[in-house]
């Protein structure tokens, strides 16, 4: 019963990784070895850990990856110079700048210096624009991961009432667009929304991306709803948890994603997918 309700990121990402490895082998046979370049500025421990995870994932699927670790004192000009070199390097298929950047560097300028054809995070204005009008693009990894999980679980979005809680540029807004493109009726809630529970109780699918432990509780969902939990928080015992009260919700929902082992793994695997897609585009 419990197992049937779980949309497991572990299961989906393992299947996706096998598929990615196969594509990498095919590309290598044609003389193209997919490669991701990751730039990290400064020594934020959380960022360093995320970056280590990205290299480990690449290695698992035989994707090349290089790590460009720069000191906190790096100037915007120096960073733009490095991006320019990577843009021109034909052996590099994906460029990722780990966020956040130090305060003296303008994030928007740096992200938009990345050649959109190598923007495997899907954060450049060109990719965001193309995603919004439904054109081919690198979809941002976390929002696409949410949709992938619904697909894998056989949840059709067409005509469904979807409530997204959170409106950030990296999760809430793009996942709303992707759900709309699947013909869902989408309501976006944020910190100024009145009576969120009234809205979530009407929802067939709730995607919660707030960053607060136990934000979504059983009284806020209707029987049989589907919950995609994007949140990554630490509870009072220091354990990883999402935004949804998993234990309270499991008896009421029809499907739910766990944290850990949920959306986070999909984010990671979609970065690999986008890197391989970029390498495949070179071939075309
Ligand atoms: P964010 O930029 O801080 O955005 C949070 C959103 O939640 C904002 O839109 C904010 O509304 C809204 N919000 C805050 N308090 C609220 C409240 N009381 N009621 C309703 N809405 C409220 O965060 P984010 O980057 O989108 O990330 C959200 C969560 O997802 C975090 O826990 C983050 O760690 C996690 N995350 C996970 C992954 C993954 O791979 N699983 C990837 C990215 C992020 P306003 O806009 O009005 O302020």
């Amino acid at each position: 019963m419990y197992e049937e309700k779980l949309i497991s990121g572990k299961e989906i990402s393992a299947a996706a990784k096998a598929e990615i490895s196969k594509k990498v082998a095919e590309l290598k046979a044609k003389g193209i070895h997919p490669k991701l370049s990751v730039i990290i500025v400064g020594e934020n421990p959380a960022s360093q850990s995320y970056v280590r995870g990205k290299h480990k994932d690449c290695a698992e699927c035989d994707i090349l990856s290089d790590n460009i670790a720069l000191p906190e004192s790096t100037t915007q000009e120096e960073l733009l110079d490095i991006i320019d070199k990577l843009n021109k390097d034909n052996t590099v298929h994906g460029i990722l700048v780990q966020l956040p950047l130090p305060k003296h560097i303008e994030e928007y300028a740096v992200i938009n210096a990345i050649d959109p054809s190598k923007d495997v995070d899907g954060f450049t204005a060109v990719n965001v624009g193309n995603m919004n009008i439904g054109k081919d693009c690198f979809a941002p990894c976390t929002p696409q991961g949410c949709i992938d999980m619904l697909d894998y679980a056989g949840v059709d979005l067409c005509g469904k009432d979807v409530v997204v809680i959170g409106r950030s540029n990296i999760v809430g807004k793009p996942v709303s667009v992707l759900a709309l493109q699947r013909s869902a009726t989408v309501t976006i809630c944020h910190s100024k929304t009145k009576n969120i529970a009234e809205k979530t109780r009407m929802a067939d699918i709730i995607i919660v991306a707030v960053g607060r432990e136990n934000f979504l509780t059983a009284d806020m969902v209707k029987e049989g709803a589907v919950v995609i939990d994007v949140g990554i928080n630490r509870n009072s015992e220091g354990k990883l948890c999402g935004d949804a009260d998993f234990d309270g919700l499991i008896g009421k929902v029809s499907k739910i994603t766990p944290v850990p082992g949920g959306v986070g793994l999909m984010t990671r695997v979609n970065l690999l997918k986008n890197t391989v897609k970029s390498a495949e585009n070179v071939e075309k």
Side-chain angles (χ1 to χ4, degrees):
M1 160 97 171
Y2 171 97
E3 288 294 323
E4 274 170 26
K5 290 187 174 190
L6 215 58
I7 312 179
S8 164
K10 273 188 201 158
E11 195 178 302
I12 310 171
S13 74
K17 277 182 179 171
E19 187 61 29
I20 291 164
S21 299
K22 210 173 118 207
K23 284 190 178 178
V24 171
E26 285 165 9
L27 282 163
K28 276 178 77 180
K30 294 174 189 161
I32 302 167
H33 199 167
K35 180 174 170 184
L36 174 71
S37 284
V38 181
I39 304 175
I40 176 167
V41 186
E43 291 184 357
N44 178 327
S47 293
Q48 286 174 327
S49 149
Y50 286 136
V51 166
R52 275 195 300 276
K54 285 165 186 166
H55 291 301
K56 188 169 155 270
D57 291 341
C58 284
E60 225 181 291
C61 293
D62 193 21
I63 293 173
L64 296 172
S65 67
D66 66 352
N67 194 47
I68 303 169
L70 303 169
E72 180 87 18
S73 59
T74 305
T75 65
Q76 184 163 318
E77 230 179 12
E78 286 166 336
L79 185 51
L80 292 175
D81 228 42
I82 289 168
I83 292 173
D84 186 48
K85 287 195 179 79
L86 294 173
N87 283 341
K88 290 173 180 151
D89 183 342
N90 290 336
T91 67
V92 173
H93 305 100
I95 304 170
L96 182 148
V97 177
Q98 184 64 42
L99 301 177
L101 287 168
K103 287 202 168 57
H104 64 276
I105 298 178
E106 198 202 333
E107 228 163 72
Y108 183 83
V110 168
I111 294 301
N112 283 293
I114 298 172
D115 180 336
S117 72
K118 298 187 180 188
D119 169 29
V120 287
D121 245 347
F123 287 169
T124 59
V126 170
N127 270 313
V128 173
N130 281 334
M131 183 198 65
N132 271 274
I133 57 174
K135 293 286 180 196
D136 186 42
C137 65
F138 291 113
C141 301
T142 303
Q144 184 61 49
C146 297
I147 303 296
D148 294 343
M149 293 187 99
L150 291 166
D151 284 345
Y152 191 88
V155 179
D156 184 9
L157 283 120
C158 183
K160 297 280 165 56
D161 289 319
V162 173
V163 169
V164 176
I165 318 177
R167 58 170 164 178
S168 71
N169 288 332
I170 62 162
V171 188
K173 269 186 223 164
V175 81
S176 305
V177 171
L178 294 177
L180 179 63
Q181 280 167 0
R182 295 293 191 87
S183 299
T185 303
V186 184
T187 303
I188 308 172
C189 301
H190 46 78
S191 67
K192 306 292 185 290
T193 303
K194 290 180 281 161
N195 303 323
I196 290 184
E198 234 172 55
K199 295 166 177 62
T200 52
R201 277 196 284 267
M202 305 287 288
D204 302 307
I205 300 164
I206 302 164
I207 302 173
V208 58
V210 171
R212 284 198 193 186
E213 180 191 355
N214 289 335
F215 184 88
L216 188 76
T217 48
D219 58 308
M220 293 171 75
V221 309
K222 72 175 179 188
E223 197 79 40
V226 175
V227 172
I228 304 290
D229 188 356
V230 184
I232 301 178
N233 310 296
R234 294 251 170 221
N235 67 15
S236 51
E237 291 156 16
K239 282 195 182 148
L240 271 191
C241 64
D243 288 347
D245 170 18
F246 186 92
D247 293 338
L249 284 159
I250 190 79
K252 202 167 179 186
V253 297
S254 62
K255 303 262 178 211
I256 187 166
T257 63
V259 178
V263 177
L265 293 176
M266 301 307 300
T267 301
R268 290 170 65 165
V269 89
N270 277 331
L271 178 64
L272 305 181
K273 271 193 197 172
N274 281 349
T275 304
V276 169
K277 175 178 168 166
S278 174
E280 286 173 337
N281 286 344
V282 170
E283 202 197 357
K284 284 176 191 162

